Amino acid sequence: MVASIPTKSNSAALRDVVSQILLSRARAPLAVSENAPSLLAARAAALLAIGDVDGAELLLSASPTQERPQGLDIVDANLQIIRFNNARACSLARNNVASAGKDFWQRLLIYCDALEGKEDSVGFGMSLLRETSGDDPAMVKLVDSVLSGLPIILEKIGQPNTIHIALSRVAKVELPTSISESDNPILLHAVAMTPNLSIGARIEAAERAISFGSLSPAQLRQLYEQVTYSEVDLANSLTRASEIGGAAARALLYQAAVKQNIPTARAEIISSALGFARKDGRYQAAVEAFRPLINRLPPSPEMVWFALTGVRAFLALG
């Protein structure tokens, strides 16, 4: 039943219910046999799959540290990779060498060997990976770049995963912007947090991650604030935003709304940002990001024109 949980839902309500079930303190049913799959590991994996990074970490912290199910190690290692905690991730990989035939552990071992400059081990690992999972040109190029220290241009990644992102960070390789179009909640989380990608693509990934529940609104606000705009653009944010559109427009309007102290002017900026977001299919992400600014708008007769926009936003936020 845990395995049947949908992992890519745009419904915040459904995700909340799923997280509550998976994090329940209810007594677990007895295993049907000694070799039965671990319910604990299944729950942790499901939390990670739906993008609930905090929930997965919470479950791990409450789990036994000795003789724990192997499935928990996979979840733990995935979390360490997206946190870029190489020491912990590689320690887990070394402890699971016996499972190196599995795609994830094989990739992680190659990554760890590349970090240590073990060319022979990397070559052997890549040949095994090719036999079991097929060619991965992007991983080959990234591993070669890590070992040689030579820069490369990565135009595309066929089936991107979190280890591709970690390798690109080590190699200081710019990721292709197309990676932000993924529908994998955890990958989007990692993409939004990686520094070796254009800020526009990171914001795109962050907005998509918000819709899947795998990133916090605070992290999206931080990305909005990292975009550099001129004072002229900020002073004429409504006009400029209509010209540039997309995530860049929302980042500009967010910064302009933060700087604006007149409530009616701030409301106009917020209304415009939410309007652009609705057209782009990014309404939920924008509402989450602009929530603190909406909260600070004082109700008054002068703001009646904003009432419908504000009510819709608060309904969307629950």
Side-chain angles (χ1 to χ4, degrees):
M1 291 178 71
V2 171
S4 69
I5 290 172
T7 58
K8 298 171 184 176
S9 172
N10 289 321
S11 168
L14 179 58
R15 290 196 306 271
D16 286 345
V17 170
V18 168
S19 292
Q20 286 183 46
I21 291 172
L22 293 172
L23 290 169
S24 171
R25 296 181 181 182
R27 187 185 301 275
L30 295 175
V32 294
S33 69
E34 290 185 2
N35 298 320
S38 166
L39 178 59
L40 184 62
R43 289 163 63 191
L47 283 164
L48 195 64
I50 66 171
D52 189 350
V53 175
D54 293 339
E57 289 183 324
L58 184 63
L59 195 62
L60 277 175
S61 69
S63 302
T65 55
Q66 300 296 325
E67 298 183 2
R68 67 182 188 180
Q70 186 193 63
L72 281 184
D73 275 357
I74 292 179
V75 173
D76 195 353
N78 266 295
L79 287 169
Q80 304 315 318
I81 283 292
I82 66 174
R83 296 286 190 241
F84 204 54
N85 184 352
N86 292 329
R88 173 66 178 163
C90 290
S91 174
L92 288 164
R94 303 300 181 202
N95 290 340
N96 285 275
V97 170
S99 302
K102 293 185 178 180
D103 184 85
F104 173 77
W105 289 122
Q106 182 62 43
R107 290 177 184 275
L108 184 54
L109 282 168
I110 292 170
Y111 172 72
C112 295
D113 285 339
L115 291 180
E116 297 176 15
K118 298 179 178 179
E119 294 188 28
D120 291 342
S121 296
V122 169
F124 180 66
M126 288 300 296
S127 65
L128 286 179
L129 185 66
R130 192 176 300 111
E131 290 178 10
T132 57
S133 303
D135 290 331
D136 188 342
M139 188 161 180
V140 171
K141 292 182 70 173
L142 286 167
V143 165
D144 286 346
S145 179
V146 170
L147 290 173
S148 67
L150 298 175
I152 61 169
I153 295 176
L154 197 61
E155 296 180 350
K156 68 176 182 178
I157 303 177
Q159 294 180 311
N161 57 56
T162 52
I163 294 178
H164 286 122
I165 296 173
L167 278 167
S168 72
R169 288 186 66 169
V170 176
K172 296 181 173 60
V173 171
E174 180 85 6
L175 284 166
T177 57
S178 60
I179 199 168
S180 63
E181 299 169 5
S182 170
D183 62 354
N184 181 324
I186 291 303
L187 185 69
L188 288 171
H189 176 103
V191 169
M193 293 294 98
T194 192
N196 54 308
L197 181 64
S198 67
I199 187 64
R202 290 177 66 190
I203 289 175
E204 176 69 22
E207 291 182 338
R208 291 173 64 84
I210 290 279
S211 69
F212 286 119
S214 61
L215 201 73
S216 74
Q219 291 168 311
L220 175 57
R221 290 181 208 116
Q222 290 173 0
L223 291 174
Y224 280 164
E225 291 168 353
Q226 288 181 30
V227 186
T228 302
Y229 296 103
S230 68
E231 289 300 322
V232 174
D233 284 343
L234 289 168
N236 299 278
S237 59
L238 294 175
T239 301
R240 188 73 183 108
S242 64
E243 294 172 351
I244 58 179
R250 287 185 285 283
L252 170 61
L253 291 170
Y254 177 81
Q255 291 187 26
V258 169
K259 289 177 175 290
Q260 182 56 255
N261 293 319
I262 301 172
T264 52
R266 174 180 286 166
E268 188 177 3
I269 294 171
I270 293 171
S271 180
S272 179
L274 297 185
F276 286 135
R278 191 159 52 246
K279 290 178 181 177
D280 292 346
R282 295 287 183 271
Y283 182 75
Q284 189 66 37
V287 166
E288 295 279 5
F290 280 80
R291 180 176 195 157
L293 298 174
I294 301 172
N295 287 343
R296 287 161 55 187
L297 292 175
S300 68
E302 291 77 17
M303 296 286 287
V304 69
W305 63 269
F306 183 76
L308 180 59
T309 299
V311 169
R312 181 186 289 117
F314 282 131
L315 287 173
L317 291 165

